[in-house]
């Protein structure tokens, strides 16, 4: 089965821009979706498709993709954006699997 | 507003069985693929299983294939996960999630609050 690789931890200064990446073979063919999870809470969808935000997600969140890498960008990070972020895509090997990245812990300094 | 509520978690001995339920409300349950996703303590999210809206297609992660069975009762708006031959490594919070992608490839727009399964003697 395919894998999605994320950096375990990323930090950003308050108000600055941060990019969280997700790398995997499946991303050459399929878009990733991105989820934010805060401690003790269920995940929340923040970006899907080419660059679509669900209702209620601030426009400081955006997505992009190039080759085998998908990116989630937060422009003007806020303290409340401190959370774990996960990318999701499908298996690229023909298996009927959904695949999660390992997650990135975002710290807002 | 869509809502998902899991139940059925608890403490079970290795080799034991447990059935999780996920009660859905606020949307047409029978129109959506549904998934189970789990998260071991302090670890990341891991996909477990999915089932098509009419129950005609099911998929499992290799780690649970042959031991877990996903099912649904569209008349009762409920998703299930029957877990047999449980192992310590199955200890996790189990979430049910609705898939808003008609092909069932993991566009999770609603999640339950999760139910904790602990496998220990």
């Amino acid at each position: 089965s395919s894998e999605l690789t994320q950096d375990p931890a990323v930090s950003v200064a308050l108000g600055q821009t941060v990019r969280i990446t997700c790398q995997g073979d499946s991303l050459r063919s399929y878009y990733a979706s991105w989820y934010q999870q805060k401690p003790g809470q269920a995940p929340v969808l923040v970006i899907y498709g080419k660059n679509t935000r669900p209702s209620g997600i601030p426009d400081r969140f955006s997505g992009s993709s190039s080759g085998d890498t998908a990116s989630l960008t937060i422009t003007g990070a806020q303290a409340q954006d401190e959370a774990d972020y996960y990318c999701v895509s499908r298996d690229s090997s023909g298996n009927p699997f959904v695949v999660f990245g390992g997650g990135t812990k975002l710290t807002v300094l | 507003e869509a809502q998902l509520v899991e139940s059925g978690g608890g403490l079970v001995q290795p080799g034991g069985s447990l059935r999780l339920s996920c009660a859905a409300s606020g949307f047409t349950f029978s129109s959506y693929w549904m998934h189970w996703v789990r998260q071991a303590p302090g670890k990341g999210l891991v996909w477990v299983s999915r089932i098509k809206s009419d129950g005609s297609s099911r998929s499992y992660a290799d780690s649970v294939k042959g031991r877990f069975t996903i099912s649904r009762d569209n008349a009762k708006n409920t998703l299930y996960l029957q877990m047999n031959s449980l192992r310590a490594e199955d200890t996790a919070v189990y979430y049910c999630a609705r898939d808003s992608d008609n092909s069932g490839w993991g566009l999770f727009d609603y999640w339950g609050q999760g139910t904790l399964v602990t496998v220990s003697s």
Side-chain angles (χ1 to χ4, degrees):
Chain A
S1 62
S2 65
E3 293 183 351
L4 297 176
T5 302
Q6 298 182 241
D7 291 328
V10 171
S11 62
V12 62
L14 184 68
Q16 296 303 299
T17 296
V18 62
R19 186 167 66 180
I20 297 169
T21 61
C22 173
Q23 185 176 22
D25 286 342
S26 65
L27 301 179
R28 296 184 182 277
S29 305
Y30 309 111
Y31 289 116
S33 52
W34 289 93
Y35 300 84
Q36 176 194 69
Q37 186 183 34
K38 296 181 180 179
Q41 298 182 19
V44 173
L45 177 65
V46 294
I47 289 288
Y48 65 96
K50 189 174 183 180
N51 181 20
T52 303
R53 284 175 290 105
S55 175
I57 302 301
D59 60 6
R60 63 179 179 272
F61 289 89
S62 63
S64 62
S65 186
S66 177
D68 68 350
T69 301
S71 300
L72 172 70
T73 300
I74 306 174
T75 303
Q78 302 299 304
Q80 60 264 37
D81 299 333
E82 185 162 294
D84 295 323
Y85 290 86
Y86 296 90
C87 59
V88 172
S89 187
R90 66 176 73 183
D91 185 272
S92 63
S93 303
N95 298 308
F97 300 157
V98 173
V99 182
F100 278 82
T104 298
K105 168 65 177 176
L106 175 66
T107 300
V108 180
L109 304 172
Chain B
E1 172 97 350
Q3 188 173 15
L4 300 170
V5 179
E6 300 96 338
S7 61
L11 176 63
V12 61
Q13 292 188 339
S17 298
L18 211 55
R19 188 177 83 156
L20 306 183
S21 299
C22 170
S25 60
F27 66 100
T28 305
F29 179 70
S30 59
S31 295
Y32 291 86
W33 285 79
M34 296 294 296
H35 298 250
W36 288 99
V37 175
R38 69 184 181 184
Q39 186 170 35
K43 302 297 184 182
L45 299 167
V46 176
W47 176 77
V48 172
S49 182
R50 67 173 189 167
I51 186 168
K52 193 175 179 180
S53 54
D54 62 1
S56 63
S57 177
R58 313 174 192 202
S59 307
Y60 301 91
D62 285 343
S63 59
V64 306
K65 195 168 186 179
R67 300 187 299 122
F68 289 12
T69 301
I70 191 172
S71 62
R72 64 192 298 160
D73 185 335
N74 285 344
K76 295 183 177 179
N77 292 333
T78 303
L79 175 72
Y80 302 100
L81 186 68
Q82 177 67 43
M83 303 185 296
N84 298 332
S85 302
L86 282 162
R87 307 165 179 167
E89 54 265 36
D90 296 318
T91 294
V93 173
Y94 285 74
Y95 295 99
C96 63
R98 187 182 88 165
D99 195 328
S100 64
D101 183 330
N102 288 336
S103 60
W105 287 114
L107 189 55
F108 308 119
D109 60 348
Y110 285 94
W111 297 68
Q113 84 289 350
T115 187
L116 177 62
V117 173
T118 303
V119 184
S120 175
S121 55

